[in-house]
């Protein structure tokens, strides 16, 4: 399989959620987004762009009086065409189908960046599109991924009291070939995992972009080098319900832009802080830049709409933190997005020396009571901005005490995004991950479970179907089946039955028979001299090359 370089990824669910329907924005294609504009120092007007065709023009001396105002390219000090989203995300139910000769008809990535650009250019008021609940969007699992599965007579149980029960949700990987919407399970799970990060990054960038339009459009202008401007009054004048901006500023120092916002969100009689900051370093034009976006969102268990789930932190107060490091070179984008839930409010040590969410800042009830306690995730992407083709990896760890991280590695066969394959498996603890699967664990939470990595992955081929606007995933083109035992198999010599079809009824299909052996159909390396990780790379998939590298090299 050919390796390819991904386009900026953004939204998660195939088809947009309600929060995606925030407005109707004039559409531009990706090519139009990248068309050159005048720089702040370009004093020519749009009326001077025509070339001399030899005709007489007796009014040339009067052109200065009719020139239009200089157009400032706001992409010179704010990242254009940058957001986080799934390469499978499709917003065609929201937009005209303007991208027809590639996978999704209208990729969410382009949909989201158009909305950010509309705020940046002052075309859309923040009031029309601001959704504070986007900062509290929690990622979930697709319904085909890790469902609850009942069992009886488990062969690894040493106690009759535990040989029957239900395996918890989230631990069984790609259990069904497709989700309820018809998408291949690997595709649906990628969309689901990225949903929260997509929403938070988009809303953060829209909010910061609105500061730029506020500074330019009210006449005050952006700061000179070495100066800062306060935009708190302008942001509060936007009239956002239950939101008060306590600080909002833009500064410029040695060519580096710094954006900062603190808003207070009132829920009932309580307020919760949301902090946004971004450091942006232009590289001379709008297609070359680097930067880092950070956010911190206070939530609370038991308060509707702002709950941050997890069972490791003993407090109801939680803080969700995120970082998005980005680097663009011409049409190539590289991203690293990190998110985690920390215990308590007014947390310290959330970010490392690179200002990324610190993966080593682990919660301990006594030694580090405000460290990350649950749901640490790292999304890495390196892709082409015109096609979204590239390399993608998503690594996550549900709890601070888990023994291994869970990983999705995704590859496309060509730049059309029409087909490719994904692998799911397990790797090292997330603070040591290199973004690549190391093996598989078939009995993660069952009785007598053993977390020794087996030399397998779950592999699924996916192919885009234009008639249904879904990525099809079928049983015969997937290697995902296994028994939830330590060996991944069952010899048929006991009384073990498990709910293969997730019907809720044991024994309702012929395969659910305790006398029938069950051999796994997982993917395994064909060359015994190669590890699982090496074998995945040999198939043409690559781990994305991302800003600041993976944690294993920190």
């Amino acid at each position: 399989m050919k390796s390819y370089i991904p386009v900026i990824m953004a939204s998660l669910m195939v088809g947009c959620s309600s929060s995606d329907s925030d407005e109707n924005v004039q559409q531009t294609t990706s090519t139009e987004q990248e068309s050159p504009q005048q720089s702040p120092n370009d004093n020519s007007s749009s009326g001077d762009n025509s070339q001399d065709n030899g005709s007489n023009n007796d009014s040339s001396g009067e052109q200065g009086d009719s020139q239009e105002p200089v157009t400032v390219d706001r992409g010179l000090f704010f990242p254009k065409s940058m957001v986080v989203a799934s390469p499978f995300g499709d917003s065609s139910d929201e937009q005209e189908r303007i991208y027809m000769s590639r996978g999704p008809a209208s990729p969410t990535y382009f949909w989201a960046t158009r909305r950010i650009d509309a705020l940046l250019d002052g075309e859309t008021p923040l009031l029309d599109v601001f959704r504070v609940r986007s900062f509290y969007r929690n990622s979930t699992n697709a319904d085909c991924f890790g469902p609850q599965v009942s069992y009886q007579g488990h062969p690894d149980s040493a106690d009759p009291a535990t040989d029957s029960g239900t395996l918890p949700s989230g631990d069984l990987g790609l259990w069904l070939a497709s989700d309820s919407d018809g998408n291949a399970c690997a595709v649906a799970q990628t969309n689901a995992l990225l949903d929260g990060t997509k929403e938070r990054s988009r809303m953060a960038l829209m909010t910061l972009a609105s500061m730029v339009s506020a500074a330019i459009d009210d006449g005050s202008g952006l700061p000179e080098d070495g100066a800062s401007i306060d935009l708190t009054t302008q942001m509060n004048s936007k009239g956002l319900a239950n939101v008060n901006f306590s600080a909002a500023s833009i500064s410029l120092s040695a060519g580096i832009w710094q954006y900062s916002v603190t808003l207070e969100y009132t829920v009932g009689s309580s307020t919760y802080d949301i902090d946004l900051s971004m450091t942006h370093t232009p590289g001379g034009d709008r297609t070359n830049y680097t930067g880092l976006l950070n956010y911190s969102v206070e939530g609370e268990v038991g308060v509707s709409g702002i709950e941050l789930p997890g069972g490791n932190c003993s407090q109801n107060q939680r803080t969700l933190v995120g970082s998005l490091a980005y680097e663009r070179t011409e049409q190539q984008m590289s991203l690293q997005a990190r998110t985690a839930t920390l215990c308590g409010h007014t947390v310290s040590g959330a970010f490392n020396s690179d200002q990324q969410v610190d993966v080593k800042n682990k919660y301990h009830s006594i030694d580090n009571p405000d460290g990350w306690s649950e749901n640490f995730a790292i999304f890495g992407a390196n892709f082409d901005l015109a096609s979204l083709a590239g390399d993608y990896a998503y690594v996550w760890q549900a709890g601070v005490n888990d023994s291994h991280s869970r990983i999705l590695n995704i590859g496309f066969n060509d730049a059309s995004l029409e087909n490719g394959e994904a692998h799911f498996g397990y790797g090292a603890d997330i603070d040591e991950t290199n973004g690549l699967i190391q093996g598989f664990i078939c009995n993660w939470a069952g009785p007598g479970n053993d977390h020794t990595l087996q030399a397998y992955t779950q592999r699924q081929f996916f192919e885009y179907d234009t008639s249904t606007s879904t990525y099809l995933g079928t049983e015969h083109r997937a290697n995902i089946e296994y028994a939830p035992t330590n060996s991944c198999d069952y010899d048929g010599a006991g009384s073990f039955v498990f709910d293969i079809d997730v019907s809720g009824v044991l024994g309702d299909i012929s395969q659910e028979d305790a006398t029938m052996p069950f051999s796994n159909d997982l993917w395994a390396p064909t060359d015994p001299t190669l590890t699982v990780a090496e074998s995945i790379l040999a198939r043409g998939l690559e781990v994305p090359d991302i800003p600041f590298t993976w944690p294993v090299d920190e």
Side-chain angles (χ1 to χ4, degrees), residues 43-175:
N43 293 320
S44 63
S45 71
S46 58
D48 292 331
N49 292 335
S50 61
Q51 294 182 355
D52 184 2
N53 60 5
S55 63
N56 294 324
N57 188 347
D58 294 334
S59 61
S60 60
E62 298 174 0
Q63 288 181 352
D65 296 332
S66 62
Q67 286 182 342
E68 297 178 0
V70 173
T71 299
V72 175
D73 184 355
R74 302 182 185 191
L76 292 174
F77 35 82
F78 197 91
K80 298 281 283 188
S81 301
M82 195 277 293
V83 76
V84 173
S86 168
F88 304 113
D90 189 347
S91 297
S92 57
D93 61 337
E94 298 286 338
Q95 300 291 330
E96 297 176 6
R97 301 172 69 86
I98 57 177
Y99 303 95
M100 297 302 295
S101 60
R102 58 170 318 286
S106 181
T108 302
Y109 187 90
F110 300 143
W111 177 92
T113 55
R114 285 195 297 269
R115 274 148 178 73
I116 297 168
D117 289 350
L119 271 294
L120 182 64
D121 295 333
E123 298 171 358
T124 301
L126 184 62
L127 178 63
D128 289 357
V129 297
F130 186 80
R131 304 289 184 268
V132 70
R133 292 294 179 87
S134 291
F135 290 112
Y136 294 93
R137 178 71 66 89
N138 290 308
S139 296
T140 59
N141 290 317
D143 54 28
C144 58
F145 184 94
Q148 291 186 334
V149 168
S150 58
Y151 64 91
Q152 63 184 25
H154 200 291
D156 295 320
S157 174
D159 184 350
T162 64
D163 68 359
S164 298
T166 301
L167 298 173
S169 61
D171 295 336
L172 292 170
L174 307 174
W175 192 255

Side-chain angles (χ1 to χ4, degrees), residues 17 44 67 73 142 152 174-175 204 226 232 262 265 274 295 321 374 385 412 422 451 459-460 504 516 543 552:
S17 62
S44 63
Q67 286 182 342
D73 184 355
Q152 63 184 25
L174 307 174
W175 192 255
T232 307
T262 296
Y265 176 40
I274 298 176
Y295 54 83
V321 296
E374 26 253 322
L385 281 173
F412 294 91
H451 286 191
R459 184 204 71 92
Q460 183 170 39
M516 182 180 295
V543 177
V552 68

Side-chain angles (χ1 to χ4, degrees), residues 354-400:
D354 292 326
Q355 294 307 301
Q356 293 197 104
V357 179
D358 191 351
V359 71
K360 298 186 182 299
N361 178 40
K362 293 185 174 182
Y363 168 80
H364 187 278
S365 59
I366 298 174
D367 298 334
N368 193 30
D370 61 355
W372 75 265
S373 53
E374 26 253 322
N375 302 324
F376 203 112
I378 303 174
F379 171 64
N382 181 26
F383 52 95
D384 178 81
L385 281 173
S387 66
L388 301 183
D391 305 313
Y392 299 91
Y394 192 99
V395 183
W396 75 104
Q397 193 160 307
V400 68

Side-chain angles (χ1 to χ4, degrees), residues 283-449:
D285 59 43
R286 71 202 319 254
T287 64
N288 293 275
Y289 54 71
T290 61
L292 183 69
L293 168 70
N294 296 90
Y295 54 83
S296 177
V297 180
E298 292 183 348
E300 186 165 358
V301 174
V303 179
S304 178
I306 64 169
E307 292 195 89
L308 302 174
N312 295 301
C313 172
S314 60
Q315 300 185 47
N316 286 335
Q317 292 185 337
R318 311 281 173 84
T319 301
L320 188 153
V321 296
S323 59
L324 170 55
Y326 57 87
E327 181 174 351
R328 177 177 178 178
T329 304
E330 301 297 338
Q331 287 298 100
Q332 194 71 18
M333 180 67 75
S334 181
L335 304 175
Q336 179 177 184
R338 296 185 179 189
T339 60
T341 300
L342 280 63
C343 196
H345 289 172
T346 319
V347 297
S348 61
F351 303 99
N352 62 20
S353 59
D354 292 326
Q355 294 307 301
Q356 293 197 104
V357 179
D358 191 351
V359 71
K360 298 186 182 299
N361 178 40
K362 293 185 174 182
Y363 168 80
H364 187 278
S365 59
I366 298 174
D367 298 334
N368 193 30
D370 61 355
W372 75 265
S373 53
E374 26 253 322
N375 302 324
F376 203 112
I378 303 174
F379 171 64
N382 181 26
F383 52 95
D384 178 81
L385 281 173
S387 66
L388 301 183
D391 305 313
Y392 299 91
Y394 192 99
V395 183
W396 75 104
Q397 193 160 307
V400 68
N401 297 315
D402 281 3
S403 62
H404 295 79
S405 59
R406 302 167 191 198
I407 303 174
L408 270 170
N409 293 133
I410 302 163
F412 294 91
N413 285 326
D414 54 51
S416 70
L417 306 192
E418 291 181 355
N419 59 74
E421 73 176 44
H423 289 252
F424 169 75
Y426 295 81
D429 187 299
I430 199 165
D431 68 353
E432 293 293 333
T433 185
N434 64 358
L436 193 60
I437 296 168
Q438 307 295 320
F440 199 76
I441 298 171
C442 293
N443 184 13
W444 177 269
N449 61 82

Side-chain angles (χ1 to χ4, degrees), residues 466-532:
T466 56
S467 66
T468 61
S469 297
T470 57
Y471 277 96
L472 301 179
T474 58
E475 296 284 359
H476 76 282
R477 304 185 86 172
N479 305 106
I480 62 175
E481 294 183 344
Y482 68 94
T485 64
N486 290 336
S487 66
C488 305
D489 301 317
Y490 170 59
D491 59 12
S495 59
F496 184 44
V497 179
F498 60 100
D499 194 4
I500 296 172
D501 61 347
V502 202
S503 67
V505 178
L506 290 174
D508 63 333
I509 60 174
S510 59
Q511 296 95 319
E512 294 174 3
D513 182 345
T515 65
M516 182 180 295
F518 190 101
S519 298
N520 79 77
D521 185 37
L522 298 171
W523 179 84
T526 56
D527 184 343
T529 66
L530 298 179
T531 66
V532 167

